[in-house]
C-alpha cells in the first residue's frame, strides 16, 4: 500500500493518537500501539504527551468545518455555473450592452416617498428620473448620483403614471392621477405646472408621449388611458383632446405607443389588449388580443431588434419588416406574460411569476424581455431560447414591484426630445436597427419602483 503521509506526518499522527488514547484513559491500547510502533519513553515522554494532547480533536473538527465550507462553495458554484450555461456567450462578462442584464444588488436605492411608488420615467437626455407615488407627489432624482433633486406637488390624489417627452427641443414631464387630471410640467422652469388637461371621467392610469413620425414632425401628442374605459389623444401645445378611442369594456390600465407613433397598444380589466392605428379615421381597434384569464396590467411593443428571435418563436422563416408593430407582449393578473404577433395570435405564454405581472420592458438589444411582478422579483426571459427565464432577481424589492423602465439610449451628437428617449419610444427601445447603429448606444440602466417605498436603479 502506498504511503499518503510523509514519514514526519506519520510520526505526528502516531503521537497524536497515543496522546488521545492516554487522555481518555485507554492506557493498555496506548501502550500496545506504542509497542507496535516502537515508540519508547525516550521519544514520547510526559512533555511530548502534553504537546500532542487535544491535537487529534482539533484536526478532526477542522476537517468537518472545511468539508461544510467546501459543500457550500460547491453549491454556490453550481448556481453560478447554471447561470453561465443559460447565458449567451457574449453576456458572460456582462460587458456587451446588447447582452447586459441587471444584477443584484441595485446600484442605488432611492428613498423619500411616503406611500407606494406607482411609476418611474427617465429624462431622454439628462441623468434625471421621475417617480410618482400614492403620496400624491412626483420626485425628481439624479439617478447617476442617487440623489433627490426636488419634490413636485400639484395632484390631489395618487399619481399613477409619469412620462418625459414633448415638442422638439422642449422636453416636458407629463403625469396623470386618480384626481382625473393630466398635468404637464416644465423641467426647464423648475418643473412649473404649465397645463392641466381635464376630460377623463375617472382615474387616469397611464400616460405616454407619442413619438414623432418618420417625417420628423414634432412629437406634441400625448395619449392617456383611463378607468372611464377610454383612451384620449391630446395636443400638448394647445391642451385640447383631439381624439377619443373607445372599445375596451372596462378600466384601461396601460398604453404603449409604437416607435413611429402610428400605433397604440392598450390593455385593461376586460382581459384584452387592443392595437389601435390612431392616425387612421377608424375608431375601431386594428387587432384585439384575447387569451389572458385576468386583468391585463401592462403591455409593450417589441423593438425591431427582437423580430428575428420572435419570428422563430412564431414559426416564421424570416423576420417581417412591414410594420413598426410586428410583435407585442402583455402581462396580467393571471401571473403570465403572453407574446403576440401582429395578427393577434398568441405565439408564446411565459410562466414563472408567482403573482400579478406589473411591468414589462423589452431589452433594446432585442434578445430579452424583462418583467416585474407582485412576487417581488425581476425576471429576464431569453427570446433566443424560446422565452426561457434565464435570470431571476428574487430580492429586487421587499414588496410588490409595480413599475419598470429602461433608460433611453445615448445619442451621439445630441438626443431629440420626445423621440430618442424611452418615453417617446416604446419602453425605451431604440429606433429600428439603432442598437447596431454607430451613433446610438444602449444605456444599461433600469429603474424599478415598489410598494416598499423604494426606487431602485440597476446599472452596469
Amino acid at each position: 500500500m502506498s504511503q499518503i503521509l510523509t514519514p514526519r506526518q506519520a510520526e505526528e499522527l502516531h503521537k497524536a493518537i497515543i496522546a488521545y488514547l492516554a487522555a481518555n484513559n485507554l492506557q493498555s491500547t496506548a501502550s500496545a500501539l506504542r509497542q507496535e510502533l516502537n515508540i519508547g519513553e525516550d521519544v514520547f515522554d510526559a512533555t511530548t504527551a502534553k504537546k500532542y494532547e487535544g491535537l487529534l480533536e482539533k484536526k478532526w473538527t477542522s476537517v468537518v468545518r472545511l468539508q461544510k465550507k467546501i459543500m457550500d462553495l460547491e453549491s454556490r458554484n453550481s448556481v453560478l455555473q447554471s447561470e453561465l450555461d443559460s447565458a449567451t456567450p457574449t453576456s458572460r462578462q456582462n460587458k456587451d450592452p446588447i447582452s447586459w442584464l441587471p444584477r443584484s444588488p441595485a446600484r442605488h436605492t432611492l428613498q423619500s416617498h411616503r406611500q407606494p411608488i406607482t411609476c418611474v420615467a427617465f429624462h431622454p437626455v439628462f441623468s434625471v428620473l421621475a417617480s410618482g407615488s400614492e403620496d400624491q407627489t412626483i420626485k425628481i432624482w439624479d439617478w447617476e448620483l442617487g440623489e433627490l433633486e426636488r419634490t413636485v406637488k400639484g395632484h390631489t390624489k395618487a399619481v399613477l403614471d409619469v412620462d418625459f417627452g414633448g415638442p422638439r427641443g422642449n422636453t416636458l414631464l407629463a403625469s396623470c392621477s386618480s384626481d382625473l387630471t393630466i398635468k404637464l410640467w416644465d423641467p426647464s422652469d423648475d418643473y412649473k405646472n404649465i397645463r392641466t388637461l381635464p376630460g377623463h371621467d375617472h382615474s387616469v392610469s397611464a400616460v405616454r408621449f407619442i413619438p414623432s413620425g418618420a417625417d420628423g414632425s414634432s412629437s406634441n401628442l400625448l395619449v392617456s388611458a383611463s378607468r372611464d374605459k377610454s383612451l384620449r389623444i391630446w395636443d400638448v401645445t394647445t391642451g385640447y383632446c383631439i381624439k377619443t378611442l373607445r372599445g375596451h369594456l372596462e378600466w384601461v390600465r396601460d398604453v404603449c405607443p409604437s416607435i413611429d407613433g402610428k400605433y397604440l397598444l392598450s390593455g385593461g380589466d376586460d382581459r384584452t389588449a387592443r392595437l389601435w392605428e390612431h392616425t387612421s379615421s377608424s375608431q375601431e381597434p386594428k387587432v384585439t388580443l384575447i387569451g389572458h384569464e385576468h386583468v391585463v396590467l401592462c403591455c409593450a411593443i417589441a423593438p425591431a431588434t427582437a423580430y428575428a428571435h420572435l419570428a422563430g418563436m412564431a414559426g416564421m422563416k424570416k423576420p417581417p419588416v412591414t410594420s413598426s408593430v410586428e410583435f407585442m407582449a402583455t402581462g396580467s393578473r393571471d401571473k403570465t406574460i403572453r407574446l403576440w404577433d401582429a395578427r393577434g395570435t398568441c405565439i408564446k405564454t411565459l410562466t414563472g411569476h408567482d403573482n400579478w405581472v406589473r411591468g414589462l420592458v423589452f431589452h433594446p438589444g432585442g434578445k430579452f424581455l424583462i418583467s416585474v411582478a407582485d412576487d417581488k422579483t425581476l425576471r429576464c426571459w431569453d427570446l433566443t431560447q424560446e422565452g426561457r427565464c434565464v435570470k431571476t432577481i428574487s430580492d429586487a424589492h421587499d414588496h410588490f414591484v409595480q413599475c419598470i423602465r429602461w433608460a433611453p439610449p445615448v445619442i451621439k451628437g445630441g438626443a431629440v426630445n420626445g423621440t430618442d428617449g424611452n418615453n417617446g419610444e416604446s419602453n425605451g427601445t431604440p429606433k429600428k436597427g439603432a442598437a447596431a447603429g454607430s451613433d446610438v448606444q444602449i444605456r444599461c440602466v433600469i429603474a424599478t419602483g415598489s410598494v416598499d417605498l423604494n426606487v431602485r436603479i440597476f446599472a452596469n
Side-chain angles (χ1 to χ4, degrees):
M1 180 180 170
S2 61
Q3 288 290 328
I4 297 173
L5 301 179
T6 64
R8 181 177 173 79
Q9 288 173 329
E11 185 185 344
E12 296 270 307
L13 178 59
H14 295 153
K15 290 177 180 177
I17 293 170
I18 292 166
Y20 172 77
L21 294 170
N24 286 276
N25 292 319
L26 300 169
Q27 299 296 346
S28 58
T29 311
S31 177
L33 183 59
R34 284 174 65 166
Q35 191 175 348
E36 191 85 27
L37 295 171
N38 198 22
I39 297 175
E41 290 287 344
D42 55 328
V43 178
F44 194 86
D45 55 15
T47 307
T48 307
K50 193 73 178 170
K51 178 185 173 183
Y52 284 94
E53 194 175 301
L55 183 63
L56 200 62
E57 291 98 320
K58 285 178 188 174
K59 295 276 188 185
W60 184 265
T61 52
S62 295
V63 167
V64 172
R65 271 202 314 274
L66 285 169
Q67 280 181 327
K68 186 177 185 302
K69 197 164 188 178
I70 288 167
M71 287 170 69
D72 289 343
L73 287 169
E74 284 178 341
S75 176
R76 284 177 60 190
N77 188 48
S78 175
V79 171
L80 291 169
Q81 188 61 50
S82 173
E83 199 167 298
L84 273 174
D85 291 342
S86 62
T88 54
T90 47
S91 69
R92 290 190 175 173
Q93 295 178 349
N94 219 26
K95 291 179 180 178
D96 180 6
I98 290 175
S99 298
W100 177 83
L101 290 175
R103 60 167 55 185
S104 186
R107 182 196 282 187
H108 295 300
T109 296
L110 311 178
Q111 298 176 318
S112 182
H113 281 294
R114 296 181 178 181
Q115 293 289 326
I117 290 145
T118 56
C119 51
V120 288
F122 286 96
H123 192 285
V125 182
F126 306 119
S127 61
V128 170
L129 179 81
S131 61
S133 165
E134 290 178 16
D135 64 13
Q136 306 176 15
T137 70
I138 300 164
K139 303 274 184 184
I140 307 298
W141 314 82
D142 184 319
W143 60 258
E144 274 191 334
L145 300 176
E147 295 175 355
L148 177 66
E149 291 193 342
R150 69 174 62 240
T151 300
V152 179
K153 297 181 180 179
H155 284 292
T156 55
K157 287 189 178 179
V159 179
L160 300 181
D161 202 10
V162 287
D163 197 33
F164 281 103
R168 193 178 299 275
N170 183 28
T171 299
L172 301 174
L173 174 66
S175 62
C176 62
S177 166
S178 297
D179 66 11
L180 316 191
T181 68
I182 299 160
K183 289 183 180 288
L184 299 174
W185 315 83
D186 187 355
S188 65
D189 189 12
D190 294 330
Y191 287 88
K192 179 182 175 184
N193 180 206
I194 58 169
R195 203 179 289 281
T196 298
L197 311 177
H200 279 295
D201 299 323
H202 214 315
S203 298
V204 189
S205 41
V207 65
R208 287 287 184 278
F209 282 97
I210 299 174
S212 57
D215 60 356
S217 59
S218 297
S219 75
N220 59 337
L221 297 182
L222 184 77
V223 60
S224 58
S226 169
R227 195 172 177 176
D228 67 12
K229 310 175 190 177
S230 74
L231 296 164
R232 286 178 181 252
I233 297 167
W234 311 80
D235 185 328
V236 297
T237 55
T238 63
Y240 293 138
C241 174
I242 59 173
K243 194 167 192 176
T244 301
L245 299 172
R246 300 184 191 278
H248 280 285
L249 305 177
E250 298 288 343
W251 188 343
V252 190
R253 295 279 182 168
D254 196 18
V255 64
C256 172
S258 64
I259 207 159
D260 58 2
K262 189 177 179 183
Y263 299 98
L264 302 170
L265 177 64
S266 60
D269 281 24
D270 60 7
R271 306 184 180 188
T272 71
R274 295 169 195 250
L275 183 67
W276 313 79
E277 189 176 356
H278 75 91
T279 52
S280 74
S281 57
S282 172
Q283 295 285 327
E284 296 296 315
K286 189 169 185 272
V287 178
T288 299
L289 315 178
I290 300 170
H292 279 295
E293 296 171 6
H294 211 317
V295 171
V296 178
L297 291 174
C298 52
C299 55
I301 296 173
T305 50
Y307 286 6
H309 314 306
L310 291 166
M313 241 185 266
M316 299 178 186
K317 290 183 179 177
K318 60 180 182 178
V321 291
T322 54
S323 161
S324 59
V325 182
E326 289 296 341
F327 299 100
M328 300 157 278
T330 53
S332 167
R333 284 186 183 173
D334 65 14
K335 308 177 190 177
T336 71
I337 298 160
R338 286 180 178 254
L339 301 175
W340 313 81
D341 65 16
R343 295 168 299 175
T345 304
C346 178
I347 61 171
K348 192 78 177 179
T349 300
L350 308 179
T351 56
H353 279 296
D354 297 325
N355 212 329
W356 298 355
V357 181
R358 290 281 192 169
L360 295 171
V361 58
F362 278 97
H363 191 301
K367 291 183 179 180
F368 304 100
L369 176 68
I370 319 290
S371 62
V372 293
D374 280 1
D375 60 8
K376 311 176 191 178
T377 71
L378 180 153
R379 292 175 189 257
C380 306
W381 311 84
D382 191 337
L383 303 179
T384 69
Q385 298 185 46
E386 291 284 315
R388 181 174 163 224
C389 181
V390 293
K391 185 163 193 178
T392 301
I393 299 179
S394 55
D395 58 347
H397 282 276
D398 298 326
H399 211 311
F400 303 157
V401 192
Q402 303 220 91
C403 52
I404 181 170
R405 295 290 280 271
W406 193 295
V410 177
I411 313 295
K412 294 176 184 176
V416 179
N417 295 341
T419 58
D420 293 320
N422 88 313
N423 314 292
E425 301 172 3
S426 169
N427 283 296
T429 52
K431 289 190 176 180
K432 187 174 178 180
S438 58
D439 56 346
V440 177
Q441 183 183 337
I442 293 171
R443 191 179 267 156
C444 301
V445 183
I446 285 173
T448 57
S450 168
V451 174
D452 66 8
L453 314 188
N454 294 328
V455 173
R456 291 214 158 121
I457 305 296
F458 295 89
N460 198 0

